Amino acid sequence: MLRPILGVIAGIIAGSLCVWAVETINHSLYPFPAGMKTNDMDAFKAYVENLPVLGKLLVIVGYALGALVSGFVSTKVAKNGKPVAAIICGVIFLTFTIYNMSVLPTPVWFWVLGILVWGLVLAGYKLALNKKH
């Protein structure tokens, strides 16, 4: 019982690091306006609203990488061959993604991809099960 719980924790950490890394790259390509405080929600909303399509797409790429890695790591750590840890990671990330999309000005295509992409935890799960002989 402990390994699946540790799998979820490890998957969340690994997935979060992936999302953070891609968003860090994104912010270097599309920096915050000079003097903007990241805790100023109105300024952050304006930044997101004015972010070019490529900047928004990079967020989705971060989610995709996070989902894949989260599914892979959670499955490897859980070591039970079941997709439960990966699915739990996906549901947790999906919940946070829906919350973020509901408070930030995101277009419809972002909503569609932002929801669908977390299904990639199952691809990570499948990759973790592949055994080379």
Side-chain angles (χ1 to χ4, degrees):
M1 183 64 181
L2 183 59
R3 287 199 74 93
I5 294 169
L6 292 175
V8 170
I9 293 168
I12 293 295
I13 292 169
S16 296
L17 288 172
C18 290
V19 171
W20 171 83
V22 173
E23 287 189 6
T24 298
I25 293 167
N26 201 10
H27 291 308
S28 71
L29 295 172
Y30 304 103
F32 294 122
M36 183 186 132
K37 299 203 181 325
T38 54
N39 63 348
D40 179 349
M41 192 55 148
D42 290 331
F44 192 72
K45 284 180 181 180
Y47 168 78
V48 170
E49 192 166 35
N50 293 309
L51 194 61
V53 171
L54 183 57
K56 289 178 174 95
L57 195 56
L58 278 172
V59 173
I60 298 295
V61 169
Y63 291 171
L65 181 62
L68 197 63
V69 169
S70 178
F72 183 87
V73 169
S74 63
T75 301
K76 285 293 191 184
V77 172
K79 280 190 175 181
N80 62 5
K82 297 177 183 175
V84 176
I87 290 169
I88 291 171
C89 288
V91 168
I92 290 169
F93 278 118
L94 177 61
T95 301
F96 282 105
T97 299
I98 290 172
Y99 170 76
N100 282 335
M101 292 186 303
S102 69
V103 297
L104 296 172
T106 49
V108 172
W109 66 264
F110 191 96
W111 273 82
V112 172
L113 292 176
I115 290 170
L116 291 177
V117 75
W118 290 107
L120 288 173
V121 293
L122 294 175
Y125 157 75
K126 290 279 190 186
L127 285 171
L129 294 180
N130 283 343
K131 296 183 175 110
K132 304 259 181 189
H133 291 97

